[in-house]
mmCIF file of all heavy atoms in Angstrom:
data_model
loop_
_atom_site.group_PDB
_atom_site.id
_atom_site.type_symbol
_atom_site.label_atom_id
_atom_site.label_comp_id
_atom_site.label_asym_id
_atom_site.label_seq_id
_atom_site.Cartn_x
_atom_site.Cartn_y
_atom_site.Cartn_z
ATOM 1 N N PHE N 106 0.832 -1.193 0.000
ATOM 2 C CA PHE N 106 0.000 0.000 0.000
ATOM 3 C C PHE N 106 0.873 1.252 0.000
ATOM 4 O O PHE N 106 2.031 1.229 0.467
ATOM 5 C CB PHE N 106 -0.933 0.002 1.213
ATOM 6 C CG PHE N 106 -1.950 -1.096 1.175
ATOM 7 C CD1 PHE N 106 -1.715 -2.301 1.814
ATOM 8 C CD2 PHE N 106 -3.130 -0.939 0.460
ATOM 9 C CE1 PHE N 106 -2.640 -3.333 1.757
ATOM 10 C CE2 PHE N 106 -4.064 -1.962 0.394
ATOM 11 C CZ PHE N 106 -3.814 -3.168 1.042
ATOM 12 N N TYR N 107 0.289 2.323 -0.507
ATOM 13 C CA TYR N 107 1.017 3.593 -0.512
ATOM 14 C C TYR N 107 1.141 4.137 0.901
ATOM 15 O O TYR N 107 0.240 3.992 1.732
ATOM 16 C CB TYR N 107 0.324 4.600 -1.434
ATOM 17 C CG TYR N 107 0.561 4.282 -2.891
ATOM 18 C CD1 TYR N 107 -0.432 3.694 -3.673
ATOM 19 C CD2 TYR N 107 1.795 4.548 -3.479
ATOM 20 C CE1 TYR N 107 -0.207 3.378 -5.011
ATOM 21 C CE2 TYR N 107 2.037 4.242 -4.808
ATOM 22 C CZ TYR N 107 1.041 3.652 -5.566
ATOM 23 O OH TYR N 107 1.278 3.335 -6.890
ATOM 24 N N HIS N 108 2.259 4.767 1.131
ATOM 25 C CA HIS N 108 2.610 5.314 2.449
ATOM 26 C C HIS N 108 1.484 6.181 3.014
ATOM 27 O O HIS N 108 1.041 5.989 4.145
ATOM 28 C CB HIS N 108 3.899 6.128 2.289
ATOM 29 C CG HIS N 108 4.498 6.603 3.558
ATOM 30 N ND1 HIS N 108 5.769 7.149 3.625
ATOM 31 C CD2 HIS N 108 4.033 6.644 4.823
ATOM 32 C CE1 HIS N 108 6.043 7.489 4.867
ATOM 33 N NE2 HIS N 108 5.005 7.201 5.622
ATOM 34 N N PHE N 109 1.019 7.132 2.227
ATOM 35 C CA PHE N 109 -0.081 8.004 2.615
ATOM 36 C C PHE N 109 -1.224 7.863 1.612
ATOM 37 O O PHE N 109 -0.985 7.766 0.399
ATOM 38 C CB PHE N 109 0.359 9.473 2.658
ATOM 39 C CG PHE N 109 1.448 9.771 3.651
ATOM 40 C CD1 PHE N 109 2.578 10.485 3.276
ATOM 41 C CD2 PHE N 109 1.343 9.338 4.965
ATOM 42 C CE1 PHE N 109 3.587 10.766 4.196
ATOM 43 C CE2 PHE N 109 2.350 9.612 5.896
ATOM 44 C CZ PHE N 109 3.471 10.316 5.505
ATOM 45 N N ILE N 110 -2.452 7.839 2.125
ATOM 46 C CA ILE N 110 -3.645 7.788 1.281
ATOM 47 C C ILE N 110 -4.659 8.782 1.837
ATOM 48 O O ILE N 110 -4.605 9.135 3.020
ATOM 49 C CB ILE N 110 -4.241 6.369 1.229
ATOM 50 C CG1 ILE N 110 -4.506 5.828 2.636
ATOM 51 C CG2 ILE N 110 -3.315 5.427 0.469
ATOM 52 C CD1 ILE N 110 -5.054 4.408 2.671
ATOM 53 N N ASP N 111 -5.571 9.247 0.978
ATOM 54 C CA ASP N 111 -6.499 10.261 1.479
ATOM 55 C C ASP N 111 -7.487 9.634 2.464
ATOM 56 O O ASP N 111 -7.791 8.442 2.401
ATOM 57 C CB ASP N 111 -7.218 10.958 0.333
ATOM 58 C CG ASP N 111 -8.323 10.136 -0.278
ATOM 59 O OD1 ASP N 111 -9.429 10.130 0.277
ATOM 60 O OD2 ASP N 111 -8.074 9.487 -1.312
ATOM 61 N N MET N 112 -7.982 10.442 3.396
ATOM 62 C CA MET N 112 -8.775 9.955 4.523
ATOM 63 C C MET N 112 -10.133 9.398 4.114
ATOM 64 O O MET N 112 -10.683 8.548 4.814
ATOM 65 C CB MET N 112 -8.989 11.075 5.549
ATOM 66 C CG MET N 112 -7.792 11.365 6.437
ATOM 67 S SD MET N 112 -7.457 10.061 7.638
ATOM 68 C CE MET N 112 -8.919 10.141 8.687
ATOM 69 N N ASP N 113 -10.667 9.831 3.014
ATOM 70 C CA ASP N 113 -12.031 9.445 2.653
ATOM 71 C C ASP N 113 -12.070 8.280 1.670
ATOM 72 O O ASP N 113 -12.616 7.220 1.962
ATOM 73 C CB ASP N 113 -12.778 10.647 2.080
ATOM 74 C CG ASP N 113 -12.937 11.762 3.102
ATOM 75 O OD1 ASP N 113 -13.220 11.444 4.275
ATOM 76 O OD2 ASP N 113 -12.754 12.936 2.737
ATOM 77 N N GLN N 114 -11.469 8.449 0.503
ATOM 78 C CA GLN N 114 -11.489 7.385 -0.498
ATOM 79 C C GLN N 114 -10.348 6.394 -0.327
ATOM 80 O O GLN N 114 -10.419 5.272 -0.811
ATOM 81 C CB GLN N 114 -11.434 7.982 -1.905
ATOM 82 C CG GLN N 114 -12.683 8.767 -2.288
ATOM 83 C CD GLN N 114 -12.569 9.310 -3.698
ATOM 84 O OE1 GLN N 114 -11.757 10.185 -3.993
ATOM 85 N NE2 GLN N 114 -13.383 8.766 -4.588
ATOM 86 N N GLY N 115 -9.280 6.814 0.348
ATOM 87 C CA GLY N 115 -8.152 5.926 0.566
ATOM 88 C C GLY N 115 -7.284 5.721 -0.657
ATOM 89 O O GLY N 115 -6.615 4.686 -0.780
ATOM 90 N N LEU N 116 -7.224 6.692 -1.558
ATOM 91 C CA LEU N 116 -6.394 6.592 -2.751
ATOM 92 C C LEU N 116 -5.035 7.248 -2.516
ATOM 93 O O LEU N 116 -4.869 8.061 -1.610
ATOM 94 C CB LEU N 116 -7.093 7.250 -3.937
ATOM 95 C CG LEU N 116 -8.475 6.675 -4.286
ATOM 96 C CD1 LEU N 116 -9.080 7.443 -5.453
ATOM 97 C CD2 LEU N 116 -8.389 5.180 -4.586
ATOM 98 N N ARG N 117 -4.065 6.871 -3.338
ATOM 99 C CA ARG N 117 -2.701 7.390 -3.218
ATOM 100 C C ARG N 117 -2.702 8.903 -3.063
ATOM 101 O O ARG N 117 -3.362 9.619 -3.821
ATOM 102 C CB ARG N 117 -1.893 7.003 -4.452
ATOM 103 C CG ARG N 117 -0.437 7.458 -4.418
ATOM 104 C CD ARG N 117 0.214 7.274 -5.774
ATOM 105 N NE ARG N 117 1.648 7.576 -5.731
ATOM 106 C CZ ARG N 117 2.401 7.788 -6.804
ATOM 107 N NH1 ARG N 117 1.836 7.737 -8.025
ATOM 108 N NH2 ARG N 117 3.685 8.048 -6.688
ATOM 109 N N TYR N 118 -1.936 9.372 -2.080
ATOM 110 C CA TYR N 118 -1.838 10.809 -1.841
ATOM 111 C C TYR N 118 -0.667 11.370 -2.646
ATOM 112 O O TYR N 118 0.494 10.978 -2.453
ATOM 113 C CB TYR N 118 -1.643 11.084 -0.350
ATOM 114 C CG TYR N 118 -1.585 12.546 -0.003
ATOM 115 C CD1 TYR N 118 -2.744 13.321 0.062
ATOM 116 C CD2 TYR N 118 -0.364 13.168 0.236
ATOM 117 C CE1 TYR N 118 -2.683 14.668 0.366
ATOM 118 C CE2 TYR N 118 -0.294 14.515 0.552
ATOM 119 C CZ TYR N 118 -1.455 15.265 0.609
ATOM 120 O OH TYR N 118 -1.388 16.603 0.912
ATOM 121 N N ARG N 119 -0.994 12.240 -3.576
ATOM 122 C CA ARG N 119 -0.004 12.899 -4.430
ATOM 123 C C ARG N 119 0.933 11.863 -5.061
ATOM 124 O O ARG N 119 0.477 10.903 -5.676
ATOM 125 C CB ARG N 119 0.739 13.979 -3.640
ATOM 126 C CG ARG N 119 -0.185 15.126 -3.219
ATOM 127 C CD ARG N 119 0.570 16.248 -2.534
ATOM 128 N NE ARG N 119 -0.345 17.332 -2.187
ATOM 129 C CZ ARG N 119 0.013 18.414 -1.501
ATOM 130 N NH1 ARG N 119 1.274 18.569 -1.098
ATOM 131 N NH2 ARG N 119 -0.885 19.350 -1.230
ATOM 132 N N ASP N 120 2.268 12.022 -4.875
ATOM 133 C CA ASP N 120 3.201 11.121 -5.537
ATOM 134 C C ASP N 120 4.000 10.277 -4.544
ATOM 135 O O ASP N 120 5.158 9.942 -4.782
ATOM 136 C CB ASP N 120 4.158 11.914 -6.429
ATOM 137 C CG ASP N 120 4.972 12.955 -5.653
ATOM 138 O OD1 ASP N 120 4.674 13.167 -4.451
ATOM 139 O OD2 ASP N 120 5.893 13.550 -6.244
ATOM 140 N N VAL N 121 3.367 9.924 -3.405
ATOM 141 C CA VAL N 121 4.086 9.154 -2.390
ATOM 142 C C VAL N 121 4.388 7.746 -2.899
ATOM 143 O O VAL N 121 3.799 7.259 -3.864
ATOM 144 C CB VAL N 121 3.299 9.078 -1.066
ATOM 145 C CG1 VAL N 121 3.076 10.456 -0.497
ATOM 146 C CG2 VAL N 121 1.980 8.332 -1.257
ATOM 147 N N GLU N 122 5.299 7.100 -2.207
ATOM 148 C CA GLU N 122 5.809 5.793 -2.613
ATOM 149 C C GLU N 122 4.942 4.633 -2.127
ATOM 150 O O GLU N 122 4.237 4.751 -1.126
ATOM 151 C CB GLU N 122 7.232 5.611 -2.069
ATOM 152 C CG GLU N 122 7.340 5.189 -0.606
ATOM 153 C CD GLU N 122 7.122 6.308 0.407
ATOM 154 O OE1 GLU N 122 6.671 7.399 0.013
ATOM 155 O OE2 GLU N 122 7.396 6.061 1.600
ATOM 156 N N LEU N 123 5.019 3.535 -2.846
ATOM 157 C CA LEU N 123 4.548 2.257 -2.338
ATOM 158 C C LEU N 123 5.594 1.812 -1.322
ATOM 159 O O LEU N 123 6.766 1.649 -1.655
ATOM 160 C CB LEU N 123 4.456 1.253 -3.486
ATOM 161 C CG LEU N 123 3.574 0.027 -3.308
ATOM 162 C CD1 LEU N 123 2.108 0.410 -3.330
ATOM 163 C CD2 LEU N 123 3.864 -0.987 -4.415
ATOM 164 N N SER N 124 5.209 1.664 -0.068
ATOM 165 C CA SER N 124 6.185 1.560 1.021
ATOM 166 C C SER N 124 6.224 0.167 1.643
ATOM 167 O O SER N 124 5.204 -0.354 2.087
ATOM 168 C CB SER N 124 5.858 2.589 2.111
ATOM 169 O OG SER N 124 6.659 2.385 3.251
ATOM 170 N N THR N 125 7.419 -0.411 1.698
ATOM 171 C CA THR N 125 7.565 -1.733 2.313
ATOM 172 C C THR N 125 7.433 -1.672 3.832
ATOM 173 O O THR N 125 6.704 -2.476 4.424
ATOM 174 C CB THR N 125 8.913 -2.367 1.945
ATOM 175 O OG1 THR N 125 9.984 -1.454 2.225
ATOM 176 C CG2 THR N 125 8.939 -2.747 0.480
ATOM 177 N N ILE N 126 8.099 -0.734 4.488
ATOM 178 C CA ILE N 126 8.049 -0.703 5.955
ATOM 179 C C ILE N 126 6.665 -0.305 6.438
ATOM 180 O O ILE N 126 6.147 -0.874 7.410
ATOM 181 C CB ILE N 126 9.124 0.232 6.555
ATOM 182 C CG1 ILE N 126 9.125 0.141 8.099
ATOM 183 C CG2 ILE N 126 8.938 1.663 6.102
ATOM 184 C CD1 ILE N 126 9.363 -1.247 8.646
ATOM 185 N N ASP N 127 6.027 0.626 5.767
ATOM 186 C CA ASP N 127 4.701 1.041 6.215
ATOM 187 C C ASP N 127 3.672 -0.060 5.972
ATOM 188 O O ASP N 127 2.760 -0.255 6.780
ATOM 189 C CB ASP N 127 4.307 2.350 5.535
ATOM 190 C CG ASP N 127 5.174 3.502 5.999
ATOM 191 O OD1 ASP N 127 4.915 4.038 7.084
ATOM 192 O OD2 ASP N 127 6.127 3.842 5.287
ATOM 193 N N THR N 128 3.821 -0.796 4.874
ATOM 194 C CA THR N 128 2.961 -1.955 4.665
ATOM 195 C C THR N 128 3.204 -3.006 5.739
ATOM 196 O O THR N 128 2.261 -3.637 6.238
ATOM 197 C CB THR N 128 3.196 -2.557 3.269
ATOM 198 O OG1 THR N 128 2.845 -1.592 2.271
ATOM 199 C CG2 THR N 128 2.366 -3.812 3.066
ATOM 200 N N ALA N 129 4.462 -3.196 6.127
ATOM 201 C CA ALA N 129 4.771 -4.172 7.178
ATOM 202 C C ALA N 129 4.133 -3.779 8.503
ATOM 203 O O ALA N 129 3.589 -4.633 9.222
ATOM 204 C CB ALA N 129 6.282 -4.301 7.336
ATOM 205 N N LEU N 130 4.179 -2.496 8.851
ATOM 206 C CA LEU N 130 3.558 -2.047 10.099
ATOM 207 C C LEU N 130 2.044 -2.207 10.029
ATOM 208 O O LEU N 130 1.406 -2.566 11.028
ATOM 209 C CB LEU N 130 3.942 -0.591 10.377
ATOM 210 C CG LEU N 130 5.435 -0.349 10.644
ATOM 211 C CD1 LEU N 130 5.740 1.142 10.696
ATOM 212 C CD2 LEU N 130 5.886 -1.026 11.940
ATOM 213 N N LEU N 131 1.474 -1.949 8.859
ATOM 214 C CA LEU N 131 0.045 -2.201 8.680
ATOM 215 C C LEU N 131 -0.259 -3.682 8.861
ATOM 216 O O LEU N 131 -1.205 -4.058 9.569
ATOM 217 C CB LEU N 131 -0.393 -1.732 7.291
ATOM 218 C CG LEU N 131 -1.812 -2.129 6.854
ATOM 219 C CD1 LEU N 131 -2.863 -1.532 7.782
ATOM 220 C CD2 LEU N 131 -2.059 -1.708 5.410
ATOM 221 N N MET N 132 0.530 -4.556 8.225
ATOM 222 C CA MET N 132 0.292 -5.992 8.321
ATOM 223 C C MET N 132 0.498 -6.521 9.742
ATOM 224 O O MET N 132 -0.169 -7.473 10.157
ATOM 225 C CB MET N 132 1.191 -6.744 7.343
ATOM 226 C CG MET N 132 0.793 -6.555 5.904
ATOM 227 S SD MET N 132 -0.901 -7.116 5.568
ATOM 228 C CE MET N 132 -1.464 -5.815 4.466
ATOM 229 N N ALA N 133 1.395 -5.912 10.496
ATOM 230 C CA ALA N 133 1.556 -6.313 11.890
ATOM 231 C C ALA N 133 0.262 -6.083 12.654
ATOM 232 O O ALA N 133 -0.156 -6.931 13.466
ATOM 233 C CB ALA N 133 2.713 -5.550 12.533
ATOM 234 N N GLY N 134 -0.380 -4.946 12.397
ATOM 235 C CA GLY N 134 -1.674 -4.694 13.023
ATOM 236 C C GLY N 134 -2.750 -5.622 12.510
ATOM 237 O O GLY N 134 -3.605 -6.093 13.279
ATOM 238 N N VAL N 135 -2.736 -5.914 11.214
ATOM 239 C CA VAL N 135 -3.711 -6.830 10.613
ATOM 240 C C VAL N 135 -3.608 -8.208 11.255
ATOM 241 O O VAL N 135 -4.621 -8.831 11.623
ATOM 242 C CB VAL N 135 -3.479 -6.913 9.086
ATOM 243 C CG1 VAL N 135 -4.223 -8.097 8.481
ATOM 244 C CG2 VAL N 135 -3.917 -5.607 8.413
ATOM 245 N N LEU N 136 -2.395 -8.716 11.412
ATOM 246 C CA LEU N 136 -2.216 -10.033 12.019
ATOM 247 C C LEU N 136 -2.575 -10.021 13.501
ATOM 248 O O LEU N 136 -3.063 -11.028 14.039
ATOM 249 C CB LEU N 136 -0.775 -10.502 11.822
ATOM 250 C CG LEU N 136 -0.357 -10.789 10.374
ATOM 251 C CD1 LEU N 136 1.102 -11.201 10.317
ATOM 252 C CD2 LEU N 136 -1.243 -11.850 9.744
ATOM 253 N N THR N 137 -2.357 -8.896 14.174
ATOM 254 C CA THR N 137 -2.724 -8.790 15.587
ATOM 255 C C THR N 137 -4.220 -8.985 15.783
ATOM 256 O O THR N 137 -4.650 -9.778 16.628
ATOM 257 C CB THR N 137 -2.296 -7.421 16.157
ATOM 258 O OG1 THR N 137 -0.877 -7.285 16.056
ATOM 259 C CG2 THR N 137 -2.690 -7.306 17.630
ATOM 260 N N VAL N 138 -5.021 -8.292 15.004
ATOM 261 C CA VAL N 138 -6.472 -8.444 15.166
ATOM 262 C C VAL N 138 -6.926 -9.806 14.681
ATOM 263 O O VAL N 138 -7.919 -10.360 15.178
ATOM 264 C CB VAL N 138 -7.258 -7.311 14.470
ATOM 265 C CG1 VAL N 138 -7.018 -5.989 15.171
ATOM 266 C CG2 VAL N 138 -6.921 -7.206 12.978
ATOM 267 N N GLY N 139 -6.207 -10.383 13.709
ATOM 268 C CA GLY N 139 -6.528 -11.731 13.284
ATOM 269 C C GLY N 139 -6.350 -12.749 14.391
ATOM 270 O O GLY N 139 -7.091 -13.738 14.473
ATOM 271 N N GLU N 140 -5.388 -12.517 15.262
ATOM 272 C CA GLU N 140 -5.181 -13.400 16.412
ATOM 273 C C GLU N 140 -6.167 -13.101 17.534
ATOM 274 O O GLU N 140 -6.660 -14.010 18.203
ATOM 275 C CB GLU N 140 -3.750 -13.253 16.942
ATOM 276 C CG GLU N 140 -2.672 -13.782 16.017
ATOM 277 C CD GLU N 140 -2.721 -15.290 15.848
ATOM 278 O OE1 GLU N 140 -3.259 -15.988 16.739
ATOM 279 O OE2 GLU N 140 -2.248 -15.771 14.800
ATOM 280 N N TYR N 141 -6.469 -11.823 17.732
ATOM 281 C CA TYR N 141 -7.297 -11.448 18.881
ATOM 282 C C TYR N 141 -8.745 -11.863 18.710
ATOM 283 O O TYR N 141 -9.378 -12.383 19.643
ATOM 284 C CB TYR N 141 -7.219 -9.933 19.113
ATOM 285 C CG TYR N 141 -8.041 -9.479 20.306
ATOM 286 C CD1 TYR N 141 -7.614 -9.747 21.603
ATOM 287 C CD2 TYR N 141 -9.239 -8.798 20.119
ATOM 288 C CE1 TYR N 141 -8.361 -9.346 22.700
ATOM 289 C CE2 TYR N 141 -9.995 -8.388 21.222
ATOM 290 C CZ TYR N 141 -9.553 -8.668 22.496
ATOM 291 O OH TYR N 141 -10.304 -8.280 23.582
ATOM 292 N N PHE N 142 -9.315 -11.640 17.548
ATOM 293 C CA PHE N 142 -10.732 -11.947 17.344
ATOM 294 C C PHE N 142 -10.870 -13.420 16.965
ATOM 295 O O PHE N 142 -10.956 -13.785 15.794
ATOM 296 C CB PHE N 142 -11.326 -11.011 16.284
ATOM 297 C CG PHE N 142 -11.434 -9.594 16.756
ATOM 298 C CD1 PHE N 142 -10.536 -8.622 16.331
ATOM 299 C CD2 PHE N 142 -12.431 -9.230 17.659
ATOM 300 C CE1 PHE N 142 -10.630 -7.314 16.771
ATOM 301 C CE2 PHE N 142 -12.531 -7.909 18.119
ATOM 302 C CZ PHE N 142 -11.636 -6.959 17.677
ATOM 303 N N ASP N 143 -10.903 -14.255 17.983
ATOM 304 C CA ASP N 143 -10.827 -15.707 17.817
ATOM 305 C C ASP N 143 -12.124 -16.429 18.160
ATOM 306 O O ASP N 143 -12.142 -17.660 18.258
ATOM 307 C CB ASP N 143 -9.700 -16.268 18.679
ATOM 308 C CG ASP N 143 -9.891 -15.981 20.172
ATOM 309 O OD1 ASP N 143 -10.850 -15.255 20.534
ATOM 310 O OD2 ASP N 143 -9.071 -16.460 20.976
ATOM 311 N N GLN N 144 -13.202 -15.689 18.343
ATOM 312 C CA GLN N 144 -14.447 -16.323 18.764
ATOM 313 C C GLN N 144 -15.206 -16.929 17.579
ATOM 314 O O GLN N 144 -14.996 -16.573 16.425
ATOM 315 C CB GLN N 144 -15.341 -15.296 19.476
ATOM 316 C CG GLN N 144 -14.780 -14.815 20.805
ATOM 317 C CD GLN N 144 -15.712 -13.851 21.522
ATOM 318 O OE1 GLN N 144 -16.770 -13.478 21.007
ATOM 319 N NE2 GLN N 144 -15.328 -13.440 22.715
ATOM 320 N N ASP N 145 -16.087 -17.884 17.916
ATOM 321 C CA ASP N 145 -16.942 -18.521 16.930
ATOM 322 C C ASP N 145 -18.116 -17.592 16.641
ATOM 323 O O ASP N 145 -19.224 -17.770 17.152
ATOM 324 C CB ASP N 145 -17.421 -19.875 17.461
ATOM 325 C CG ASP N 145 -18.265 -20.631 16.432
ATOM 326 O OD1 ASP N 145 -18.245 -20.233 15.257
ATOM 327 O OD2 ASP N 145 -18.947 -21.601 16.832
ATOM 328 N N ASP N 146 -17.854 -16.600 15.828
ATOM 329 C CA ASP N 146 -18.809 -15.534 15.530
ATOM 330 C C ASP N 146 -18.594 -15.126 14.079
ATOM 331 O O ASP N 146 -17.435 -15.015 13.633
ATOM 332 C CB ASP N 146 -18.567 -14.345 16.469
ATOM 333 C CG ASP N 146 -19.378 -13.123 16.112
ATOM 334 O OD1 ASP N 146 -18.877 -12.308 15.293
ATOM 335 O OD2 ASP N 146 -20.496 -12.986 16.620
ATOM 336 N N PRO N 147 -19.665 -14.901 13.298
ATOM 337 C CA PRO N 147 -19.489 -14.576 11.877
ATOM 338 C C PRO N 147 -18.607 -13.362 11.611
ATOM 339 O O PRO N 147 -17.805 -13.366 10.676
ATOM 340 C CB PRO N 147 -20.922 -14.331 11.393
ATOM 341 C CG PRO N 147 -21.792 -15.106 12.341
ATOM 342 C CD PRO N 147 -21.098 -15.034 13.665
ATOM 343 N N VAL N 148 -18.744 -12.322 12.442
ATOM 344 C CA VAL N 148 -17.912 -11.128 12.253
ATOM 345 C C VAL N 148 -16.446 -11.449 12.521
ATOM 346 O O VAL N 148 -15.566 -11.072 11.747
ATOM 347 C CB VAL N 148 -18.393 -9.977 13.164
ATOM 348 C CG1 VAL N 148 -17.433 -8.789 13.068
ATOM 349 C CG2 VAL N 148 -19.804 -9.546 12.776
ATOM 350 N N GLU N 149 -16.180 -12.154 13.602
ATOM 351 C CA GLU N 149 -14.794 -12.465 13.942
ATOM 352 C C GLU N 149 -14.195 -13.478 12.973
ATOM 353 O O GLU N 149 -12.992 -13.431 12.678
ATOM 354 C CB GLU N 149 -14.706 -12.933 15.392
ATOM 355 C CG GLU N 149 -15.203 -11.866 16.368
ATOM 356 C CD GLU N 149 -14.720 -12.040 17.801
ATOM 357 O OE1 GLU N 149 -13.833 -12.872 18.044
ATOM 358 O OE2 GLU N 149 -15.238 -11.312 18.667
ATOM 359 N N GLU N 150 -15.006 -14.367 12.438
ATOM 360 C CA GLU N 150 -14.524 -15.285 11.414
ATOM 361 C C GLU N 150 -14.115 -14.522 10.156
ATOM 362 O O GLU N 150 -13.091 -14.831 9.531
ATOM 363 C CB GLU N 150 -15.606 -16.316 11.079
ATOM 364 C CG GLU N 150 -15.837 -17.343 12.181
ATOM 365 C CD GLU N 150 -17.025 -18.248 11.892
ATOM 366 O OE1 GLU N 150 -17.661 -18.058 10.828
ATOM 367 O OE2 GLU N 150 -17.301 -19.144 12.720
ATOM 368 N N GLU N 151 -14.904 -13.509 9.790
ATOM 369 C CA GLU N 151 -14.551 -12.711 8.621
ATOM 370 C C GLU N 151 -13.292 -11.893 8.865
ATOM 371 O O GLU N 151 -12.455 -11.741 7.961
ATOM 372 C CB GLU N 151 -15.708 -11.789 8.225
ATOM 373 C CG GLU N 151 -15.431 -11.033 6.926
ATOM 374 C CD GLU N 151 -16.588 -10.170 6.458
ATOM 375 O OE1 GLU N 151 -17.681 -10.202 7.091
ATOM 376 O OE2 GLU N 151 -16.415 -9.436 5.453
ATOM 377 N N ILE N 152 -13.143 -11.373 10.078
ATOM 378 C CA ILE N 152 -11.911 -10.649 10.422
ATOM 379 C C ILE N 152 -10.706 -11.559 10.233
ATOM 380 O O ILE N 152 -9.692 -11.166 9.627
ATOM 381 C CB ILE N 152 -11.981 -10.115 11.871
ATOM 382 C CG1 ILE N 152 -12.946 -8.920 11.945
ATOM 383 C CG2 ILE N 152 -10.585 -9.709 12.374
ATOM 384 C CD1 ILE N 152 -13.224 -8.447 13.352
ATOM 385 N N ARG N 153 -10.776 -12.773 10.741
ATOM 386 C CA ARG N 153 -9.650 -13.701 10.621
ATOM 387 C C ARG N 153 -9.352 -14.020 9.151
ATOM 388 O O ARG N 153 -8.186 -14.062 8.734
ATOM 389 C CB ARG N 153 -9.924 -14.984 11.395
ATOM 390 C CG ARG N 153 -10.002 -14.778 12.902
ATOM 391 C CD ARG N 153 -9.920 -16.099 13.647
ATOM 392 N NE ARG N 153 -11.045 -17.007 13.394
ATOM 393 C CZ ARG N 153 -12.203 -16.978 14.050
ATOM 394 N NH1 ARG N 153 -12.407 -16.048 14.988
ATOM 395 N NH2 ARG N 153 -13.148 -17.854 13.791
#
């Protein structure tokens, strides 16, 4: 994902880079919630 994206549509902001470290920090959060929401519930199953 691009380093910065606009707050509403989430599209690339100006000419910023596709960022490896910022994507990694995003994915760290993504995997965190994937581990936390572990209940037998349709919403939590979709999160995982």
Side-chain angles (χ1 to χ4, degrees):
F106 294 94
Y107 285 104
H108 188 169
F109 299 130
I110 54 182
D111 77 82
M112 283 289 295
D113 297 319
Q114 293 181 292
L116 302 178
R117 182 191 186 196
Y118 182 77
R119 295 185 178 176
D120 59 352
V121 299
E122 81 282 11
L123 200 71
S124 172
T125 52
I126 185 58
D127 293 280
T128 297
L130 295 171
L131 170 62
M132 289 301 140
V135 166
L136 294 178
T137 299
V138 292
E140 292 293 336
Y141 181 73
F142 291 104
D143 60 355
Q144 293 183 357
D145 183 14
D146 172 271
V148 174
E149 300 200 10
E150 288 173 0
E151 185 177 355
I152 287 172
R153 294 195 296 275

